[in-house]
Amino acid sequence: MSEEVAVFSTRAAAYNFSQESNSWVGVDGGASRIFIFYHNVKNSYRIIGISASDEQYIINTPIFSKLVHQKVTDVFIQWRDTATIYGLSFATTQEADQFSEELDKIVNKLKKPVLPLPEQNKAKLPPPISPRTEKGDIRGGRGGRGRGRGRGNFA
């Protein structure tokens, strides 16, 4: 079974913000495929962008609990990781809203602490039942001829 699965997909034009030119720079030349992947073993998410023109990865960034994203216009969303400011321009308001809502849902989920598994019942279990003899008697039980000590009291 795969450890990482796509939980959301859409199309959008991808941009990076250039500090040098103080402007957005297109990184794909068109509408790219944008995915959100979930890794079930690590309980982590990431955003992946694949360029429609040459199938290259143009976005590969984790989603973390303190991620802040901003809907700058009805169709443009931006966020940042430690090194890059990303932007996605969607064809419709509905697509932008869906992506933004999915990010909100994931960030809120990541903010919740992962609860430890409940402790197992610590009550002592009764000792295992001895195997049956050829005659069907229980070894060590009442009236049995097994090798047990004959002290079993099965109520």
Side-chain angles (χ1 to χ4, degrees), residues 76-89:
F76 191 84
I77 295 173
Q78 70 181 33
W79 75 95
R80 73 176 338 143
D81 64 13
T82 56
T84 307
I85 301 173
Y86 299 96
L88 293 176
S89 181

Side-chain angles (χ1 to χ4, degrees), residues 72-124:
V72 181
T73 69
D74 286 346
V75 294
F76 191 84
I77 295 173
Q78 70 181 33
W79 75 95
R80 73 176 338 143
D81 64 13
T82 56
T84 307
I85 301 173
Y86 299 96
L88 293 176
S89 181
F90 295 89
T92 68
T93 301
Q94 180 182 4
E95 290 171 334
D97 288 344
Q98 288 171 342
F99 183 81
S100 182
E101 289 167 10
E102 190 68 22
L103 274 182
D104 281 338
K105 185 171 77 174
I106 290 168
V107 168
N108 287 331
K109 185 184 286 187
L110 292 171
K111 286 179 181 177
K112 294 178 183 175
V114 177
L115 300 175
L117 294 174
E119 286 190 43
Q120 292 183 357
N121 185 355
K122 293 185 177 182
K124 288 189 175 184

Side-chain angles (χ1 to χ4, degrees), residues 4 8-10 32-37 45-51 56-63 79 88 99:
E4 192 169 47
F8 182 84
S9 67
T10 189
S32 295
R33 292 180 296 159
I34 308 298
F35 299 93
I36 296 178
F37 280 91
Y45 294 85
R46 63 185 176 136
I47 301 170
I48 300 291
I50 301 173
S51 173
Q56 296 296 310
Y57 286 87
I58 54 172
I59 299 174
N60 185 359
T61 184
I63 301 173
W79 75 95
L88 293 176
F99 183 81

